[in-house]
Amino acid sequence: MKKPLLLWVGLLGLCPVVQAQTTPTAARVAPMASTPYAADFAEAYRRYPVIPRGVLEAVAFTQTHIRHIQPTEPASCTGMPLPVGVMGLVADGKGYFRENLRTVARLAEVSEEQIKTDPRSHILAYAAAYARLAAEQRLTAANPAEHRAVLVALSELPLAADAVNTFALDAHLYGVLSFLTRPENQLQYHFPNYQLDLPAFFGAGNYRVLSAGHTEVSGRGVQGGGQVFDPSSSTYSVVTSADYGPALTNMTTCNYSSRSGVAVTHYAIHTVQGTYAGCISWFKNCSASVSAHYVVRSSDGQVTQMVAESNKAWHIGSENPYTIGTEHEGYVDDASWYTTAMYSSSAALARDIVGSGYGISGLRTFYGAATTGTFSTGGCVKIKGHQHYPNQTHTDPGVNWNWEYFYKLVNNAPTVTTLSAASGTVYDSGGASGNYGDDVRQCQLIAPTGASSVSLTFSAFDLESNYDHLLVYNGANNQAPLIGKYSGTANPGTLTASSGKMFLELRSDCATTRPGFAASWTSNGGSTTSCPTDSYESNGTLATGAAIGVNVNNSAYICPAGDVDWYKFTSSSTNNNIKVTLTNLPFDYELELYNASGTLLYSSTNSGTTAETITYNGAPAAAYYVKVYGYNGATSNATAYTLRVSTQSVAWRAAATGETLALSSPTLDQPVVTITNPVEPGATAQLLVTNYEGPASIVLRDAHGQPVDAGTQVDIRAEQPVRFPLPTTLRRGVYVAAVQLRGRVEYVKLLVQ
């Protein structure tokens, strides 16, 4: 990456935000839905009003995700000191980290043992120490940005003048202060919007480096986010990254050695058992005798390189000579650290290593079950966890790392063969008579035209047991619900996909092939000529929407697959409370409400055959449009749905479970959009939206805010990434994906390189 980055969101005047991310193993990462220590934090603020509200939670989240770390927590494979308590204090700094547990105990006049063992005492002692330092400096609670010296004084990070440690301190401060800028945290933890100006706090150029996942470094200086780094106004500096362009580079001057001619053949995934900032600082400690090539931040996936890939980092004992290793911020016992941003960034790094000429195939990524112990996977699996290598005692990344999700992100552009006939036979890659090969990833989509369901019956099945697998999904891709994962010689029998589409994915390892499988499929509802007469057709667009009356039932079919029905009605000024219901559903149908200009107002996207309901109280007198369609191509030529638009002069009751109710006030759970970075022109990005289900449109804009494509329509499902294909004509640089969701627009940065 050799060009300065331009951030269009910044040009629009929107403050860059470090977004709370999600993972497949944690529904929401930051803020947590609740904390058992809320009463203790509240007591601390009552006792010590000099502390700005929210600061204690910000420190706790940055250090531990507001979790009381016990002395029994697994030790870090890096040897880094393990913090204790909710605030993440260090008792034994191992001659390198500051022992801030002792500092807090001294300032608060509380015993170290009590602070370590009792969460309430721990929080109140930290607060007492904080208040004492703040009072000495005559600070007030009005502006947390003025409390820099207190936050630094109570950190465990070394106060060393070298670039790495000053960067680590800035990264810690960035984590704390950016927590305070997020509206969802302000609502959850009941603290005010302090109007913090983080670019002014860190310096505009250096803020871009702290907040960007991709920073360009050269011998002449640092560029990121369209800014040039100024070392004279910062507490850290960075040097050239020769291996992974998007990584910040803080090369350690010790804790590595030559590979002595040993070739790189494997890539190891680690968990720090601590913070990003702490890990970066610890690797600079020449007495630690430990390092990794890269470190990944949880909140936004920022990557920092510590050791050149050509050198041997010291991260996995006897297996160091042939491995590249990456540490991930967090703790193995807390899934909330493994965010979507971290997974996406880590997978992008893995893809870069796959493409760097080492001969490591992305198909050799481990995708088995996450476990708590250690076991060696053998030499076939090249990208795997610390716990999967021989001669190891550490169990990271542990039971909370989602290997299947990571495998799909690393191998994010499979070739798919689509089979659209109403019936037929499907084989493994070896065909009807041959064995499948080694290192196979064969993806086949059975999608008969107009099918409401697909059944697949196996006549033969023989895969290498526990090493080669066939995964079958109920839908159009491998993000759909998993029907089953099959291996060995046990015949799966007959499998049925109720969506009308079935996705097959065969994965084989590097050795031992078998005869594979043969199976025949049939489908229901697959004839486009068998659809009943529908008096509303043709109403496949908003412009051709069929007029319907209010307070009457309307019946029609979704047939064939892909059929969309539009309807038009008018709301009056007196009966301006609208309720739209969709009932008698044979399959998973969806319901949407639009205004006359075609803007999506609300949608109801319950799963299965659950009725769909939209309630819009106080709607302006106007023409409205209703859209009905089948999810994932669901269709029926046997059962008609019932659509009813009801209006009345009084407001409808509050929404029941599963209903969509128009609200005038914002909810706590606003949609959060994330996307894989970086990507190449013509590639497919993975976009994930949390706290939202339903249709969305994506428009890609350049650094000047101008659209560069015609837009893409997608269907957002809970915790399921959607594929976003990019134009092949894109130039390298930074773009912004504008994602339209129910009348609101979310923006997310996309790096094309």
Side-chain angles (χ1 to χ4, degrees), residues 145-231:
E146 296 176 352
H147 291 230
R148 179 201 304 255
V150 178
L151 292 169
V152 170
L154 294 180
S155 168
E156 81 281 8
L157 298 174
L159 297 177
D162 63 85
V164 171
N165 278 302
T166 50
F167 168 73
L169 275 171
D170 267 11
H172 171 70
L173 291 173
Y174 174 81
V176 172
L177 295 181
S178 62
F179 179 95
L180 296 175
T181 65
R182 297 172 193 158
E184 65 270 26
N185 292 345
Q186 295 161 15
L187 289 168
Q188 179 69 39
Y189 298 105
H190 309 292
F191 61 85
N193 183 354
Y194 292 105
Q195 303 293 331
L196 295 177
D197 187 346
L198 297 190
F201 181 88
F202 292 105
N206 298 334
Y207 170 79
R208 293 297 179 109
V209 178
L210 283 166
S211 61
H214 313 283
T215 299
E216 182 180 328
V217 185
S218 71
R220 298 184 300 275
V222 181
Q223 296 182 20
Q227 298 291 329
V228 177
F229 171 66
D230 180 7

Side-chain angles (χ1 to χ4, degrees), residues 159 183 240 256 290 307 360 409 419 433 436 500 514-515 524 567 575 589 606 651 654 703:
L159 297 177
T240 302
Y256 68 89
V290 68
V307 176
I360 300 175
L409 289 177
L419 307 168
S433 58
Y436 59 82
R514 302 291 297 173
N524 292 325
Y567 301 93
N575 293 319
Y589 290 179
N606 294 322

Side-chain angles (χ1 to χ4, degrees), residues 368-506:
T371 62
T372 57
T374 62
F375 67 94
S376 177
T377 61
C380 270
V381 183
K382 303 293 187 182
I383 301 175
K384 54 189 176 182
H386 187 164
Q387 65 193 126
H388 299 143
Y389 285 84
N391 309 311
Q392 303 304 310
T393 59
H394 290 280
T395 62
D396 54 308
V399 72
N400 289 308
W401 183 267
N402 191 323
W403 285 108
E404 174 65 23
Y405 180 59
F406 187 66
Y407 176 95
K408 291 174 182 175
L409 289 177
V410 173
N411 301 285
N412 64 342
T415 300
V416 180
T417 300
T418 300
L419 307 168
S420 58
S423 62
T425 303
V426 64
Y427 302 97
D428 61 84
S429 59
S433 58
N435 286 10
Y436 59 82
D438 293 327
D439 288 324
V440 165
R441 191 187 188 199
Q442 178 191 24
C443 296
Q444 301 174 92
L445 172 61
I446 302 174
T449 302
S452 59
S453 66
V454 173
S455 294
L456 184 68
T457 301
F458 288 84
S459 58
F461 193 87
D462 187 351
L463 305 185
E464 185 187 9
S465 182
N466 298 321
Y467 293 97
D468 302 337
H469 297 87
L470 175 67
L471 295 91
V472 183
Y473 300 87
N474 183 5
N477 51 47
N478 60 9
Q479 305 302 322
L482 180 68
I483 294 175
K485 180 179 178 181
Y486 307 97
S487 186
T489 57
N491 192 307
T494 298
L495 308 177
T496 300
S498 59
S499 67
K501 296 181 177 65
M502 183 179 287
F503 191 86
L504 310 179
E505 182 177 351
L506 173 65

Side-chain angles (χ1 to χ4, degrees), residues 97-430:
F97 279 172
R98 289 183 291 155
E99 295 174 349
N100 56 347
L101 175 65
R102 181 174 303 172
T103 301
V104 168
R106 175 178 56 82
L107 291 172
E109 300 179 355
V110 178
S111 73
E112 292 184 27
E113 192 61 32
Q114 185 176 358
I115 294 174
K116 287 194 292 185
T117 57
D118 178 45
R120 176 177 177 275
S121 298
H122 184 101
I123 292 170
L124 293 178
Y126 183 93
Y130 189 109
R132 184 168 177 178
L133 294 176
E136 288 175 357
Q137 298 182 47
R138 300 175 185 247
L139 299 174
T140 69
N143 185 5
E146 296 176 352
H147 291 230
R148 179 201 304 255
V150 178
L151 292 169
V152 170
L154 294 180
S155 168
E156 81 281 8
L157 298 174
L159 297 177
D162 63 85
V164 171
N165 278 302
T166 50
F167 168 73
L169 275 171
D170 267 11
H172 171 70
L173 291 173
Y174 174 81
V176 172
L177 295 181
S178 62
F179 179 95
L180 296 175
T181 65
R182 297 172 193 158
E184 65 270 26
N185 292 345
Q186 295 161 15
L187 289 168
Q188 179 69 39
Y189 298 105
H190 309 292
F191 61 85
N193 183 354
Y194 292 105
Q195 303 293 331
L196 295 177
D197 187 346
L198 297 190
F201 181 88
F202 292 105
N206 298 334
Y207 170 79
R208 293 297 179 109
V209 178
L210 283 166
S211 61
H214 313 283
T215 299
E216 182 180 328
V217 185
S218 71
R220 298 184 300 275
V222 181
Q223 296 182 20
Q227 298 291 329
V228 177
F229 171 66
D230 180 7
S232 66
S233 65
S234 173
T235 58
Y236 69 93
S237 63
V238 291
V239 295
T240 302
S241 171
D243 294 321
Y244 185 53
L248 296 174
T249 306
N250 284 312
M251 296 290 192
T252 181
T253 57
C254 52
N255 300 332
Y256 68 89
S257 53
S258 169
R259 292 190 186 273
S260 301
V262 177
V264 171
T265 59
H266 286 70
Y267 177 50
I269 302 294
H270 300 267
T271 299
V272 173
Q273 293 300 95
T275 66
Y276 176 74
C279 185
I280 291 170
S281 175
W282 184 247
F283 286 167
K284 190 70 173 182
N285 174 17
C286 293
S287 299
S289 298
V290 68
S291 63
H293 294 88
Y294 298 98
V295 186
V296 183
R297 186 160 64 193
S298 171
S299 63
D300 59 358
Q302 187 181 73
V303 178
T304 289
Q305 184 174 12
M306 302 296 295
V307 176
E309 290 177 11
S310 58
N311 289 324
K312 178 175 66 177
W314 301 344
H315 60 108
I316 200 163
S318 59
E319 315 311 301
N320 285 328
Y322 63 90
T323 55
I324 294 172
T326 294
E327 289 284 352
H328 294 77
E329 180 183 32
Y331 297 85
V332 295
D333 291 337
D334 186 352
S336 70
W337 292 88
Y338 298 148
T339 63
T340 298
M342 174 177 278
Y343 278 115
S344 299
S345 179
S346 182
L349 173 57
R351 290 195 300 271
D352 182 84
I353 291 170
V354 165
S356 294
Y358 298 117
I360 300 175
S361 169
L363 299 180
R364 303 280 189 91
T365 302
F366 181 75
Y367 60 87
T371 62
T372 57
T374 62
F375 67 94
S376 177
T377 61
C380 270
V381 183
K382 303 293 187 182
I383 301 175
K384 54 189 176 182
H386 187 164
Q387 65 193 126
H388 299 143
Y389 285 84
N391 309 311
Q392 303 304 310
T393 59
H394 290 280
T395 62
D396 54 308
V399 72
N400 289 308
W401 183 267
N402 191 323
W403 285 108
E404 174 65 23
Y405 180 59
F406 187 66
Y407 176 95
K408 291 174 182 175
L409 289 177
V410 173
N411 301 285
N412 64 342
T415 300
V416 180
T417 300
T418 300
L419 307 168
S420 58
S423 62
T425 303
V426 64
Y427 302 97
D428 61 84
S429 59

